[in-house]
């Protein structure tokens, strides 16, 4: 499995202290927001105060990980789904976000990650999500010690199909600068 590139975005797992990740904080999505947001995408708060996909790679201002949305569709009525379809007209749109600043999440690496890479920082690799599955395709890559990179690798998935050094391995990460802890306002 880890020898196949099959990105699934960022999956909330737990908090740094080991507690269960149970938060799903609602944030407003602007009506007709023109970018699709998929389950597992990194999201931010835009300058208008609404939820947006964070398209940053080497830099990002993550509020958290998108885990679904709800809104009223003019034809279908109330909708609850795993992704935000681009340009949807809905004045009551709410996106749900795993936004704990101590969140630990799992993500696939775009290249091999060795045991010695624990503690390295990484850039995000953005991709188009799937409207068929509703899932993100975000991965990480470009490991180094640069402090401004958005994520830090803290471990590996405990799956028996995953091992340090495997190509496309599943790693556990944290945010280097979560939006909820950054002193500079938007």
């Amino acid at each position: 499995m880890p020898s196949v590139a099959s990105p699934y975005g960022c999956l909330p797992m737990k908090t740094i202290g080991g507690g269960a990740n149970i938060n799903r904080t609602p944030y407003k999505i602007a009506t007709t927001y023109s970018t699709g947001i998929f389950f597992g995408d990194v999201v931010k708060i835009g300058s208008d105060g609404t939820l947006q996909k964070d398209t940053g790679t080497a830099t990002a201002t993550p509020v958290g990980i998108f885990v679904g949305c709800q809104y009223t569709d003019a034809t279908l009525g109330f909708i609850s789904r795993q992704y935000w379809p681009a340009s949807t007209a809905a004045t009551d749109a709410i996106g749900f976000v795993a936004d704990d600043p101590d969140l630990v999440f799992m993500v696939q690496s775009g290249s091999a990650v060795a045991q010695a890479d624990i503690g390295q920082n990484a850039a995000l690799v953005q991709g188009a999500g799937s409207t068929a599955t509703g899932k993100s395709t975000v991965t990480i890559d470009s490991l180094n010690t640069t402090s401004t990179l958005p994520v830090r690798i803290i471990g590996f998935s405990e799956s028996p199909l995953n091992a340090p050094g495997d190509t496309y391995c599943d790693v556990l990460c944290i945010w280097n600068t979560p939006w909820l802890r950054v002193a500079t306002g938007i």
Side-chain angles (χ1 to χ4, degrees):
M1 185 69 109
S3 62
V4 176
S6 55
Y8 48 79
C10 301
L11 298 179
M13 301 300 286
K14 60 183 180 177
T15 59
I16 290 173
N21 172 44
I22 56 171
N23 74 318
R24 250 178 44 122
T25 305
Y27 289 88
K28 173 91 175 133
I29 300 174
T31 188
T32 67
Y33 175 61
S34 62
T35 302
I37 312 173
F38 296 85
F39 185 96
D41 271 345
V42 178
V43 288
K44 66 179 182 176
I45 300 300
S47 60
D48 64 352
T50 63
L51 193 66
Q52 299 175 357
K53 179 176 175 160
D54 194 329
T55 58
T57 55
T59 61
T61 53
V63 69
I65 298 169
F66 187 82
V67 294
C69 64
Q70 65 184 33
Y71 56 91
T72 303
D73 180 271
T75 305
L76 302 173
F78 179 77
I79 302 286
S80 180
R81 68 182 340 154
Q82 194 162 290
Y83 76 97
W84 168 258
S87 304
T88 297
T91 58
D92 63 346
I94 298 293
F96 295 101
V97 179
D99 66 351
D100 189 319
D102 292 328
L103 180 68
V104 175
F105 55 95
M106 184 171 68
V107 63
Q108 188 175 65
S109 176
S111 59
V113 177
Q115 186 68 42
D117 292 324
I118 298 296
Q120 291 283 309
N121 294 326
L124 296 166
V125 178
Q126 302 286 348
S130 168
T131 57
T133 66
K135 293 181 183 176
S136 170
T137 58
V138 170
T139 61
I140 62 161
D141 214 342
S142 305
L143 281 64
N144 66 54
T145 58
T146 304
S147 64
T148 56
L149 290 173
V151 301
R152 174 165 300 151
I153 297 169
I154 62 166
F156 293 91
S157 162
E158 295 180 13
S159 167
L161 300 174
N162 192 61
D166 285 344
T167 305
Y168 309 116
C169 62
D170 298 325
V171 293
L172 299 177
C173 296
I174 59 172
W175 302 120
N176 274 329
T177 54
W179 178 78
L180 291 171
R181 289 211 174 119
V182 174
T184 306
I186 57 172

